[in-house]
Amino acid sequence: MTTPYIQRTRIIAAILITVMLILAGCSPGKPTGANPADPPAVIEQNHTIENDHSRIEDKPAVTISRLELIPSELTLSPNVPGQDQRFANVTVTAHKTDGTEEDITRIEQLVFTSGDSEIAVVDSEGRVSITETAKTGDHTVIRVEYEGRTAECAVIVKYSLEETVTTNAEGVSLVTNLADHAVVVNKQRSLPADYVPNDLIQPDVPFSFAGKSEKKLMREQAARALEQLFKKAEADGIQLYAVSGYRSYSTQKIIFDYNVQTQGEEEARRFSAHPGQSEHQTGLAMDISSPSIHFALEEAFGDTEEGRWLADHAPDFGFIIRYPEGKEAITGYAYEPWHIRYVGLRIARELTEKQMTLEQYFESGFPVLKQENR
Ligand code: DAL
Ligand code: ZN
Ligand code: ZN
């Protein structure tokens, strides 16, 4: 009894659907709107028909979940003979929701930007280059944007030691990147005798002695960082005093000659620099002490509360303990827990983390391309 009723209902329904489809401009056997100008999209079973231009399966669409710039970190340097390290290419990988990845570097709609065009620039194809004025320790990021997603690649500028030194008529190796905040001055790399930094100022910190003195000066950026370091020390209840900052070539000569007279040349060279070879002439170094050891510059400072605090916190303000314990063979000097050197935040943190000296940073560092482990 019920069967004929259902059949009747089905027939009526089929007629109604046919009429509706005819009214809508379609025919039941031919579901495609053959006219590309048909405006309405018709939903039919599992398919979406959009103006007959595309037919998309109605399962979760594959979209981009994450963009990745490769490498994630680039170290670039000016030209050196036989090598071109000023440029590098980054590629863009799209990681998709279905677990696949695709190189989309050549897609036109990618937007590449530089975080600081005075340091590095990037073209529309992901070619990155550092500028003529970029200095060691400078860093920025290259960013790519696509469909609302972004990825970054850190760009670090690093000169090699070889390309920042020249030999003068007397056979002395003179440093050429004098104004670089990461300049390396040591027993193999001298400053010209007449070099005086042009941005020396007196940091607003307590000194161990009164009166006006060139030894109270530092280069501006280092001086500001020192003020922040001392502010943090004070907040932590640590009493630090600045003892000796900038020293001219002639001041260093007086100091070195005195040390040779009183201790002999061999011993003096373990802790005192020849004039022209002292970091104090760069205006980036400061000797620090505390009342707890009567403002002395001695190895014992490293074991005081203040000395330990300094070693722990200096890197957060861009300073390193320049002559660490056990590195005499590399730095050329015995352990000096009191001598801090401004190198900038990024290098200070990296050196501290890797327990490396400034010499090792640049040696390791024939400019390299670091590639993320994938
Ligand atoms: N004490 C350090 C090495 C200097 O004389 O510059
Ligand atoms: Zn010093
Ligand atoms: Zn990947």
Side-chain angles (χ1 to χ4, degrees):
M1 289 294 164
T2 51
T3 316
Y5 173 77
I6 288 171
Q7 279 172 348
R8 242 177 293 137
T9 313
R10 280 186 179 156
I11 290 161
I12 291 164
I15 289 166
L16 277 173
I17 289 167
T18 307
V19 168
M20 283 164 68
L21 286 169
I22 287 166
L23 286 175
C26 300
S27 71
K30 277 175 78 193
T32 54
N35 180 359
D38 277 353
V42 177
I43 312 291
E44 184 216 28
Q45 290 173 353
N46 286 336
H47 298 101
T48 302
I49 302 159
E50 262 184 44
N51 299 338
D52 201 27
H53 295 148
S54 59
R55 177 182 279 236
I56 303 158
E57 293 295 313
D58 189 17
K59 60 186 179 188
V62 177
T63 56
I64 295 172
S65 56
R66 184 168 69 86
L67 281 189
E68 185 183 23
L69 267 177
I70 299 166
S72 60
E73 189 176 305
L74 265 178
T75 304
L76 294 175
S77 158
N79 292 344
V80 278
Q83 280 178 280
D84 188 351
Q85 301 281 356
R86 185 181 281 278
F87 305 97
N89 287 296
V90 289
T91 61
V92 185
T93 296
H95 294 265
K96 301 186 183 177
T97 45
D98 66 355
T100 61
E101 45 185 73
E102 188 188 338
D103 184 335
I104 58 165
T105 312
R106 295 290 149 174
I107 288 182
E108 254 178 49
Q109 296 90 328
L110 294 184
V111 179
F112 287 100
T113 48
S114 166
D116 188 341
S117 53
E118 286 183 7
I119 297 173
V121 292
V122 58
D123 72 10
S124 61
E125 294 180 346
R127 184 168 159 89
V128 180
S129 54
I130 54 167
T131 63
E132 296 281 344
T133 52
K135 294 198 161 52
T136 292
D138 280 351
H139 52 93
T140 184
V141 291
I142 294 302
R143 208 168 280 121
V144 68
E145 195 187 324
Y146 179 62
E147 291 190 345
R149 309 217 172 259
T150 59
E152 286 187 355
C153 163
V155 177
I156 296 149
V157 180
K158 187 183 208 173
Y159 289 65
S160 68
L161 288 177
E162 296 90 325
E163 63 191 315
T164 51
V165 79
T166 175
T167 308
N168 73 3
E170 288 82 49
V172 178
S173 293
L174 290 177
V175 170
T176 56
N177 59 335
L178 305 172
D180 197 330
H181 284 119
V183 61
V184 178
V185 173
N186 60 25
K187 288 176 179 174
Q188 279 90 44
R189 298 166 57 90
S190 299
L191 294 167
D194 61 358
Y195 173 65
V196 180
N198 61 12
D199 58 351
L200 291 171
I201 60 166
Q202 182 173 320
D204 184 13
V205 299
F207 284 88
S208 62
F209 61 99
K212 213 167 128 66
S213 166
E214 68 169 29
K215 290 201 285 182
K216 289 189 172 177
L217 306 178
M218 282 190 105
R219 288 189 59 196
E220 185 170 4
Q221 205 169 308
R224 297 294 172 230
L226 191 78
E227 289 170 352
Q228 297 307 311
L229 173 71
F230 273 59
K231 218 183 251 176
K232 172 74 173 141
E234 199 184 342
D236 287 0
I238 296 293
Q239 279 194 295
L240 297 183
Y241 284 78
V243 177
S244 185
Y246 169 71
R247 299 201 291 254
S248 64
Y249 182 95
S250 53
T251 301
Q252 187 66 25
K253 181 162 168 34
I254 293 166
I255 293 172
F256 182 74
D257 289 348
Y258 174 82
N259 287 327
V260 169
Q261 268 171 32
T262 52
Q263 321 219 16
E265 168 132 18
E266 196 187 329
E267 179 61 14
R269 282 182 58 79
R270 288 190 66 226
F271 64 91
S272 185
H274 258 283
Q277 295 179 350
S278 177
E279 278 201 330
H280 287 275
Q281 196 187 333
T282 68
L284 297 167
M286 182 61 82
D287 295 335
I288 310 266
S289 193
S290 65
S292 64
I293 59 158
H294 313 288
F295 309 108
L297 303 179
E298 292 172 356
E299 219 175 288
F301 176 65
D303 291 324
T304 63
E305 199 189 350
E306 294 83 2
R308 280 194 299 270
W309 186 96
L310 184 63
D312 280 350
H313 294 82
D316 294 336
F317 299 88
F319 291 93
I320 54 169
I321 303 292
R322 178 65 173 93
Y323 308 114
E325 198 162 16
K327 304 276 186 167
E328 183 163 0
I330 301 166
T331 64
Y333 294 103
Y335 177 40
E336 291 194 0
W338 63 84
H339 177 114
I340 62 170
R341 158 67 199 273
Y342 185 77
V343 290
L345 213 50
R346 185 177 187 104
I347 298 178
R349 288 200 167 132
E350 184 174 341
L351 291 186
T352 307
E353 196 181 298
K354 295 181 178 165
Q355 299 197 309
M356 268 162 58
T357 64
L358 200 53
E359 281 81 7
Q360 289 169 305
Y361 178 77
F362 286 99
E363 274 154 18
S364 68
F366 213 76
V368 278
L369 281 181
K370 280 186 207 161
Q371 182 133 353
E372 170 199 33
N373 287 333
R374 301 176 67 218

